Amino acid sequence: MSSYQPWCHGTITRSKAEDLLSKAARDGSFLIRASESIQRAYALCVLYQNCVYTYRILPNEDKKLSVQASEGVPIRFFSMLPELVEAYYSPNMGLITHLQYPVQREEEVDEEPESNNLPPQLPPRNFFTNDVKDSDPKSSEQACKSLSDTYLMRLQHMDLSIIPEEHHMAIQEYFRNSICLDAEQVQYGYPNLPGLKKLTMTICKNLNSEISRILPILEVFHRALDQQLSPGIGQSPKQVGGSFYCLTILVILGQLQMTKRFSVSFFQAKMSTFESVGNEGGHRKSLIPLVTFEVKQESLAIPTKMFLKVDVESGKLFLKKSKDGPEDKFFVHNKILQLVKSQRMHAKLVIVAETEKEKVLRKEFTFEDAKKREGFCQLLQQMKNKHSEKPEPDMITVFVGTWNMGNASPPHSTDSWFQCKGQGKTRDDTADQIPHDFYVIGTQEDPLGEREWADTVKGVLRKITNISFKQVAIHTLWNIRIVVLAKPQHENRISHVFSDSVKTGIANTLGNKGAVGVSFMFNGTSFGFVNSHLTSGSEKKLRRNQNYTNILRFLNLGDKKLNPFDITHRFTHLFWLGDLNYRVEFPSTEAEYIVTKIKQQQYQELLSKDQLNMERNDGKVFLHFDEEEITFAPTYRFERDTRDKYAYTKAKATGTKYNLPSWCDRVLWKSYPLIHVVCQAYGCTNDIMTSDHSPLFASFEVGVASQFVSNLLFNFLDPNIAPQGGIQIMNCVATLLTKSKTKFFIEYHSSCLEKTVKTLDGENMEHLDGSIKVWFGNQLTPIISDPEYLLDQHILICVKSTDCDESYGESCVALRAAQFNYTEFQITLTHHGEKTGTLTGGIQLRTSEGTPTEKLYDFIKVEKDDTVASKGKGYHQQKDLLAPPDPNISTSRPADGDPDRPPLPTPRNRSFTCSETKPQPPTSIPSRASAHKKPVVPTRSEGGMAPNRPPLPSKSRLGMSEPQKPRDYRESSELPSKHRPPARPGQPQPQRQ
């Protein structure tokens, strides 16, 4: 900390404040809170030359940031540093404690300020430790005796019948002898209090078995210290040593409060999750209990039965030859390197682990079925997450549920809904005890009040998970409602919570149909959730499409600075749920045929006539959204109180109305490109029958980005010292489906940019098909160049006209696509949910030195062809999505062969990438690379590529597997290697051998 420059009062920009926070955190300061929002205060606690300084950064009227620095307080006046760390995790929004000493306001002076190299002087205090320190031994001894007598007298005035005699004697002994020794420790600035520590350990012995006895004892001891002395009891503080007395109480009381707070939170957590079998040697049940899987392992082509026992709480995986056999062989969580799923054999799994001698073992097991394998993988992933040393998560799980309640109260038990039990893709029983990080519940025709429904859901989750979930938001439009709940430990990670609603009923003024939405930030990741109830009726498909468009245009969620973009572009992850009311488009005379197909569980023919699927395929609604495969029966329309019969006829005054069995209730999602998202469950319940709809559930594993604190050497006085990153977007061509004669420009929006960046007007060229091609290019400078930060960022692109500043198309590009070298992209431009053109170009990323840390979700991979590469690990790379370029072809002409396009400069590092729209000669593909390179089929949310791209050249498609239904960003055949350093961004990755 010798090089640290203390802050002073003044006004700075937001970016400077963030840089200062980053520098202070790197220098060893303790970061209490740092929010990206200018509307929130920063607070920083800095340890410098044995003094503690507090800095607050607040927005002023000019929307800049004002820095306020407190006077330094010697560290000996504070509790130990671990207490600061503990206080950071308390639910105080980063506030450590109340002010213990007055801090005088700094007065303005005309003379020159002192050098910033010196810390601020200490403010005057009301006491000085030298009062006792410099006194004679006799005076010190008298002060100790008075202090001891005072507390012993206090103890006599308290009701001690509620605590055991042995603890009563222990507290008396502490006040009689040990408190003076602790006081001497405080007097000389030592935070360790051996007497208090010994007493606390004595009181808190056997915590699990004596919970009801410990809390009253701590409460009595706490009250004895916390009371102010009355004139009639003992001597005044002045008589027993002045500051000596005050300082002793301050430190002892602070440590006792920490002990008590820890004890109370510890007991509350364990009371609901632990069960004691006896006072001695009792075995406790974990929040996630031990789970044993029966598997088969082949040895010399002979299958042998094995048992895998997972202990999430202790972080161990046991390998046993018999179910009740000894647990002598196990792997600790940090020695389990990776799980590799076989795609061809759905029950097979490879566990890659490291031995004590740093040898990598590869053990192959076959589970009973694919569902058991998935449950095992989820438990192992939970173990990795629980014992990770990362301060912030990079992966969370989200439960999304939707239910049209039919204006009827819910049944007594709805556990199966929240446990993803029923039909379809469901979770294995072994994963029942794994709680989700977020629960998002959308209801339609909900007859309950907001508070009643929220309390009902919280009660169910408390019973299932033993966790009291916190309410993030609840919003209601008539009887359409959305509730968002989160784990308590995520409370301080959530910010910028917004909610809104849109009416789409008759004349768009009635709220019987419409949507409600909630959005928020989770650290550095934005989430949006929309629950909609669209127009009913088989024949009203076009009206439902219009409902969707209106919701896109008018639902006001997310960052208001992204006003050119609708909600499909504003969020890292957007989930759309609800009773969408799209029906199966069969004649009403085919009702019995449909029911027969459902009983036979033959859904494919029915799904091919599903209106939502057909409209999505035509690009009319939910463009670029994803939905997990439907493997469950239609959720509408059942006879109430049964799930065995569909009530597909309804008598009305105008005649008989048919409501054919349909998948009205749906969950879809849309995520930014190259973002991890996996749907783990998608189905409906069988046992909740109060409505004519069955509740629908979906479970997701999603990647999140942390609030980034750079480890670079920022310098406040000379920011040019910091290495600058760069984002080069070149060769950009926008093809717009318009005949407008206006000029166009591009706006770039991103949290990694200090402000919105606009290009110069592009060059227009009309084509015979009526579209317009516009050429652009631009250089962007990110606020932080660290690859750990940049590779999680995205650039939102908006093509606007110069005459009215109106958007003609929006899209998104992931910086991770250019992690290794220059990469060409082709993305679709959309506006209000409709395709308006395409954008092609190239992106090159320049970052500072550094290697991104491995993500927790990279722990599980998918083995494409049952052959495991011996080396290499990392992200699903963009270069695997593209055909190799021809090094003999110059870039003096455009990649699409357009003769009207002007010559383009040759970009760097293009060795392994090219546009998929450009055919390649056979000579450009090395035979070895072709044999080993495994093309990966991206989802819509992965590559940012246009869906209707031309086919790849025949040479580049060698060895390509059949297109699957990939949702898993982790799909890769690569395993980790401890001996090969990962490639640095900006350098080409070496060829795999």
Side-chain angles (χ1 to χ4, degrees):
M1 295 288 301
S2 59
S3 63
Y4 183 77
Q5 300 291 329
W7 296 0
C8 59
H9 292 262
T11 301
I12 58 176
T13 64
R14 169 184 169 184
S15 61
K16 290 296 182 185
E18 292 175 346
D19 290 351
L20 285 171
L21 288 172
S22 302
K23 178 184 184 300
R26 182 202 64 79
D27 282 340
S29 310
F30 184 67
L31 185 62
I32 301 304
R33 184 165 185 84
S35 172
E36 287 189 357
S37 171
I38 199 171
Q39 286 81 18
R40 291 203 172 199
Y42 296 85
L44 187 67
C45 188
V46 179
L47 176 63
Y48 176 57
Q49 293 184 352
N50 293 324
C51 288
V52 175
Y53 301 89
T54 303
Y55 298 101
R56 300 178 65 221
I57 308 176
L58 301 171
N60 59 26
E61 295 179 356
D62 298 328
K63 294 186 178 180
K64 293 187 177 180
L65 298 178
S66 186
V67 180
Q68 299 177 359
S70 72
E71 300 290 344
V73 179
I75 187 61
R76 64 177 180 273
F77 292 159
F78 280 74
S79 303
M80 293 182 296
L81 190 59
E83 293 184 17
L84 288 175
V85 178
E86 179 68 20
Y88 171 61
Y89 292 103
S90 65
N92 296 328
M93 299 298 289
L95 183 63
I96 287 296
T97 180
H98 59 276
L99 293 177
Q100 296 176 346
Y101 311 112
V103 178
Q104 295 181 351
R105 184 179 298 276
E106 186 177 356
E107 298 180 357
E108 295 183 1
V109 292
D110 296 331
E111 59 268 15
E112 285 290 323
E114 295 183 0
S115 172
N116 285 336
N117 293 329
L118 298 176
Q121 293 183 353
L122 292 177
R125 302 298 180 196
N126 296 328
F127 58 88
F128 300 91
T129 57
N130 292 333
D131 290 348
V132 177
K133 189 173 181 179
D134 297 336
S135 60
D136 57 85
K138 185 176 180 181
S139 175
S140 178
E141 182 180 350
Q142 184 179 2
C144 286
K145 187 177 185 305
S146 299
L147 189 65
S148 177
D149 292 343
T150 300
Y151 284 119
L152 287 172
M153 187 176 297
R154 280 188 177 183
L155 207 59
Q156 293 177 4
H157 289 78
M158 293 185 176
D159 181 14
L160 303 178
S161 61
I162 58 176
I163 66 175
E165 180 66 22
E166 56 178 322
H167 292 146
H168 178 197
M169 298 301 295
I171 294 176
Q172 281 187 335
E173 180 65 21
Y174 176 75
F175 284 149
R176 187 174 291 115
N177 298 319
S178 302
I179 194 171
C180 292
L181 297 177
D182 285 349
E184 291 181 4
Q185 294 283 329
V186 175
Q187 178 183 356
Y188 292 102
Y190 298 109
N192 296 324
L193 305 179
L196 180 62
K197 184 177 180 180
K198 180 179 179 181
L199 174 65
T200 305
M201 291 178 64
T202 302
I203 294 174
C204 297
K205 188 178 180 181
N206 300 326
L207 289 181
N208 287 338
S209 59
E210 300 197 11
I211 179 173
S212 59
R213 302 172 61 190
I214 297 169
L215 287 178
I217 302 167
L218 289 174
E219 188 65 34
V220 168
F221 187 48
H222 178 264
R223 289 206 313 269
L225 290 171
D226 200 26
Q227 289 181 359
Q228 293 185 353
L229 291 179
S230 62
I233 301 178
Q235 303 174 23
S236 67
K238 203 171 193 178
Q239 293 172 311
V240 296
S243 63
F244 176 87
Y245 171 86
C246 296
L247 197 56
T248 301
I249 292 183
L250 172 65
V251 176
I252 294 179
L253 185 59
Q255 291 209 357
L256 183 63
Q257 285 175 331
M258 287 299 303
T259 302
K260 183 183 173 187
R261 182 164 70 248
F262 169 78
S263 302
V264 171
S265 61
F266 177 83
F267 292 152
Q268 289 175 345
K270 302 309 180 188
M271 276 291 288
S272 61
T273 58
F274 295 162
E275 294 181 3
S276 297
V277 178
N279 290 337
E280 296 182 5
H283 176 70
R284 61 178 177 83
K285 281 190 176 180
S286 303
L287 181 63
I288 300 178
L290 302 177
V291 182
T292 301
F293 295 84
E294 181 178 330
V295 297
K296 292 182 180 180
Q297 183 181 26
E298 288 193 6
S299 178
L300 300 176
I302 301 176
T304 305
K305 184 185 294 186
M306 293 279 293
F307 293 90
L308 302 179
K309 183 178 179 181
V310 183
D311 188 348
V312 173
E313 299 299 319
S314 67
K316 294 181 179 179
L317 172 63
F318 297 91
L319 282 70
K320 307 195 302 181
K321 293 184 178 179
S322 61
K323 189 172 185 179
D324 300 322
E327 299 175 347
D328 52 348
K329 189 173 182 179
F330 63 88
F331 291 108
V332 185
H333 62 89
N334 57 352
K335 298 295 183 181
I336 305 174
L337 303 180
Q338 200 166 82
L339 304 181
V340 185
K341 300 178 182 177
S342 169
Q343 194 173 42
R344 185 170 59 88
M345 299 179 63
H346 294 168
K348 193 170 77 172
L349 182 73
V350 174
I351 301 177
V352 183
E354 181 185 0
T355 64
E356 296 179 357
K357 298 180 180 179
E358 295 191 353
K359 292 184 177 180
V360 176
L361 297 180
R362 180 179 179 273
K363 292 185 174 291
E364 190 175 285
F365 300 98
T366 303
F367 288 75
E368 296 178 18
D369 50 44
K371 201 171 180 180
K372 288 294 181 187
R373 184 188 75 171
E374 190 62 30
F376 176 84
C377 290
Q378 290 181 24
L379 285 170
L380 265 290
Q381 182 76 74
Q382 182 74 9
M383 178 195 296
K384 276 286 188 181
N385 298 353
K386 185 179 183 67
H387 297 279
S388 169
E389 296 179 355
K390 294 187 175 184
E392 294 294 326
D394 56 31
M395 182 194 73
I396 60 174
T397 57
V398 180
F399 171 90
V400 179
T402 177
W403 183 24
N404 186 320
M405 300 176 67
N407 291 313
S409 297
H412 177 69
S413 175
T414 55
D415 295 5
S416 60
W417 187 21
F418 299 98
Q419 290 180 321
C420 299
K421 295 296 181 62
Q423 300 182 41
K425 184 178 181 180
T426 59
R427 292 177 61 166
D428 187 65
D429 294 342
T430 55
D432 282 352
Q433 301 299 323
I434 303 178
H436 291 80
D437 294 279
F438 284 90
Y439 285 85
V440 182
I441 301 97
T443 53
Q444 308 84 37
E445 299 183 16
D446 186 343
L448 305 183
E450 277 192 354
R451 185 169 182 178
E452 182 183 5
W453 176 240
D455 290 344
T456 300
V457 174
K458 290 179 185 177
V460 175
L461 294 180
R462 192 180 303 113
K463 180 178 66 173
I464 295 174
T465 65
N466 291 323
I467 297 175
S468 296
F469 279 80
K470 297 290 185 179
Q471 181 174 302
V472 176
I474 184 169
H475 196 78
T476 305
L477 171 67
W478 288 29
N479 54 9
I480 308 170
R481 178 173 298 139
I482 187 169
V483 181
V484 180
L485 305 174
K487 280 184 177 179
Q489 61 261 39
H490 295 324
E491 191 172 11
N492 290 340
R493 299 184 174 111
I494 300 171
S495 63
H496 303 80
V497 181
F498 297 104
S499 61
D500 193 28
S501 61
V502 172
K503 299 174 182 177
T504 62
I506 298 175
N508 288 334
T509 58
L510 295 183
N512 63 319
K513 295 293 188 291
V516 291
V518 169
S519 66
F520 57 86
M521 291 289 297
F522 181 87
N523 283 342
T525 302
S526 56
F527 282 88
F529 299 93
V530 179
N531 172 33
S532 63
H533 192 185
L534 307 185
T535 301
S536 61
S538 298
E539 70 284 356
K540 296 183 180 179
K541 175 177 62 177
L542 298 181
R543 176 65 178 164
R544 284 188 282 274
N545 293 355
Q546 188 60 48
N547 290 164
Y548 166 78
T549 303
N550 289 343
I551 294 169
L552 279 189
R553 295 184 63 182
F554 301 117
L555 196 62
N556 191 12
L557 296 175
D559 190 350
K560 302 303 184 290
K561 292 181 295 186
L562 298 178
N563 57 349
F565 302 89
D566 59 46
I567 57 174
T568 63
H569 291 292
R570 290 192 180 189
F571 305 106
T572 313
H573 300 286
L574 173 64
F575 295 89
W576 197 303
L577 55 142
D579 181 1
L580 306 186
N581 256 324
Y582 285 96
R583 308 302 175 91
V584 173
E585 209 164 70
F586 274 86
S588 57
T589 55
E590 301 288 331
E592 286 297 332
Y593 175 77
I594 294 173
V595 172
T596 301
K597 285 293 184 181
I598 294 172
K599 290 181 179 179
Q600 297 172 351
Q601 297 185 6
Q602 297 180 5
Y603 306 134
Q604 290 306 312
E605 182 181 352
L606 306 183
L607 287 170
S608 67
K609 295 293 184 179
D610 175 74
Q611 289 178 343
L612 180 57
N613 289 343
M614 292 190 293
E615 296 300 286
R616 286 180 60 207
N617 291 336
D618 292 340
K620 296 180 180 178
V621 292
F622 292 99
L623 189 64
H624 297 166
F625 275 78
D626 285 299
E627 183 182 24
E628 182 59 39
E629 181 183 1
I630 294 178
T631 57
F632 51 90
T635 55
Y636 176 81
R637 179 177 185 254
F638 288 100
E639 285 191 2
R640 296 180 189 245
D641 301 322
T642 179
R643 296 295 97 158
D644 297 329
K645 187 175 181 181
Y646 286 93
Y648 52 82
T649 60
K650 187 176 182 180
K652 303 193 75 173
T654 55
T656 302
K657 180 180 179 181
Y658 284 85
N659 287 302
L660 299 181
S662 300
W663 288 275
C664 293
D665 310 283
R666 310 287 272 269
V667 174
L668 302 97
W669 76 94
K670 182 177 184 291
S671 298
Y672 281 168
L674 295 180
I675 289 289
H676 174 73
V677 54
V678 181
C679 184
Q680 295 177 323
Y682 191 43
C684 64
T685 62
N686 285 329
D687 57 348
I688 301 177
M689 301 176 287
T690 53
S691 170
D692 50 3
H693 291 252
S694 286
L696 191 76
F697 54 77
S699 172
F700 296 91
E701 183 183 275
V702 297
V704 292
S706 300
Q707 290 280 25
F708 184 77
V709 178
S710 176
N711 59 358
L712 299 178
L713 295 173
F714 288 99
N715 191 296
F716 176 68
L717 298 178
D718 188 5
N720 295 325
I721 294 179
Q724 291 293 320
I727 305 169
Q728 183 74 29
I729 299 180
M730 59 184 74
N731 309 345
C732 252
V733 180
T735 305
L736 302 175
L737 304 179
T738 180
K739 296 182 180 180
S740 173
K741 304 297 183 181
T742 183
K743 290 286 186 179
F744 295 91
F745 66 94
I746 289 182
E747 276 188 358
Y748 298 104
H749 299 253
S750 178
S751 58
C752 71
L753 304 176
E754 189 168 357
K755 60 182 180 180
T756 301
V757 178
K758 298 181 180 180
T759 68
L760 299 176
D761 295 352
E763 299 180 10
N764 294 11
M765 182 171 293
E766 296 184 25
H767 275 245
L768 297 178
D769 60 359
S771 64
I772 289 182
K773 283 194 173 183
V774 192
W775 281 266
F776 305 97
N778 212 71
Q779 169 76 29
L780 309 177
T781 303
I783 56 176
I784 299 176
S785 60
D786 196 304
E788 182 77 20
Y789 169 79
L790 278 183
L791 293 179
D792 282 333
Q793 303 305 308
H794 293 78
I795 304 293
L796 292 177
I797 298 175
C798 180
V799 181
K800 286 187 170 184
S801 65
T802 56
D803 55 356
C804 61
D805 201 43
E806 179 185 357
S807 173
Y808 275 67
E810 307 98 47
S811 194
C812 177
V813 173
L815 294 186
R816 187 173 298 281
Q819 176 177 1
F820 297 98
N821 41 251
Y822 172 88
T823 304
E824 294 187 351
F825 60 84
Q826 178 180 342
I827 53 180
T828 302
L829 296 172
T830 65
H831 185 61
H832 293 326
E834 297 183 5
K835 180 179 177 180
T836 58
T838 59
L839 182 70
T840 60
I843 182 170
Q844 185 167 5
L845 183 63
R846 185 178 71 254
T847 68
S848 61
E849 295 288 336
T851 302
T853 58
E854 184 180 0
K855 303 293 184 180
L856 287 174
Y857 47 76
D858 279 334
F859 173 60
I860 302 177
K861 302 287 185 183
V862 177
E863 191 177 40
K864 285 286 186 180
D865 55 0
D866 293 335
T867 59
V868 182
S870 60
K871 291 185 179 181
K873 70 176 179 180
Y875 291 92
H876 187 109
Q877 298 165 9
Q878 179 79 5
K879 71 186 185 66
D880 290 334
L881 307 177
L882 306 173
D886 184 359
N888 300 319
I889 296 181
S890 170
T891 55
S892 59
R893 282 293 170 191
D896 56 5
D898 188 352
D900 299 326
R901 184 169 171 178
L904 302 174
T906 303
R908 299 178 182 176
N909 299 331
R910 296 188 58 185
S911 303
F912 303 99
T913 60
C914 80
S915 170
E916 286 191 352
T917 62
K918 178 173 66 176
Q920 305 300 327
T923 57
S924 67
I925 306 175
S927 59
R928 180 174 294 184
S930 300
H932 291 274
K933 199 167 187 179
K934 305 174 185 63
V936 182
V937 183
T939 65
R940 281 194 181 97
S941 66
E942 283 187 339
M945 302 296 168
N948 299 321
R949 61 174 69 91
L952 291 173
S954 59
K955 196 73 173 177
S956 66
R957 286 183 284 152
L958 291 175
M960 179 177 290
S961 58
E962 289 297 322
Q964 302 294 325
K965 190 177 175 60
R967 297 286 193 273
D968 194 339
Y969 178 68
R970 300 174 298 200
E971 291 185 356
S972 170
S973 61
E974 298 177 343
L975 289 178
S977 172
K978 295 175 66 66
H979 307 293
R980 191 193 71 175
R984 183 167 62 84
Q987 293 182 349
Q989 194 180 35
Q991 292 268 9
R992 298 182 204 150
Q993 300 299 323

